[in-house]
Amino acid sequence: MELTFLGTGTSTGVPQLRCGCPTCTSTDQRDHRLRASALLEVAGKRILIDCGPDFHQQMLRHGERSRQDRLDALLVTHQHYDHVGGIDDLRPYCYQEEMKESGFPVYCQADVARDLRERLPYSFKADPYPGAPRFDLREIEAGKSFEVAGLEVLPVRVNHYLLDILGFRIGGLGYITDAKVVPDDTVVAMKGVDTLVINALRHKPHISHITLDEALELISRIKPRVAYLTHMSHDMGRYAEVAPTLPENVFLAVDDLKIHIPDGQ
């Protein structure tokens, strides 16, 4: 499997508007972060994890210009705007041949499905406006595996302050973002992953996100071969200063980074 980090920033992105801090004024491209999203590619299939407001820009930067480029499904962690604000931009993918009638597959919890129907009512009308995106909302639950594009996906529960949201285990990949509390059963479910992606907002405590130290503690409990930190704010600091302080198997993810996840997990 190959995972590309389309974006590794928090809800404001980095640089943050109206901020002159050292991170936001950095000329190091590793400090420039679009909203968090990732693209998983395996055996010719391509699965998007979250679809934030930077999706259009991210896919153009990824080289998405050919009609041969495709997406097979979207996995949604939760309904906050920085994770679903770009869903309307999926409309070119809704008209892939096998999706013209049923719509583009979106795997999400029931509360997210309700929210998307309210945000995008034009996508679910019986007689839609020509050219409107069409989505096939497929409701999933934590702890209940499902198959997408030939892959087994296990959704896992994490807490994001007032929301219970999802992370995902897909083969050797564990993907958790926006967590404030990671329950013990989720830690157990993630044990044995080769590669763990986990959020780490900043150094100081936050009401709805774990800190760098909290992320490192979870990594030490899950024990992946390698871990990548994502969903970072400008308060994390500059890449060149923070990266050298991390354990040897933990890395700050950066936008457009592509990593390989070995088979057999």
Side-chain angles (χ1 to χ4, degrees), residues 168-184:
F168 299 105
R169 177 166 181 165
I170 309 171
L173 170 68
Y175 190 95
I176 294 174
T177 187
D178 286 60
K180 174 59 178 178
V181 176
V182 178
D184 290 343

Side-chain angles (χ1 to χ4, degrees), residues 154-189:
L154 175 65
V156 296
R157 174 72 59 226
V158 298
N159 173 262
H160 183 32
Y161 184 41
L162 297 179
L163 282 177
D164 284 331
I165 70 171
L166 296 179
F168 299 105
R169 177 166 181 165
I170 309 171
L173 170 68
Y175 190 95
I176 294 174
T177 187
D178 286 60
K180 174 59 178 178
V181 176
V182 178
D184 290 343
D185 56 350
T186 294
V187 171
V188 171

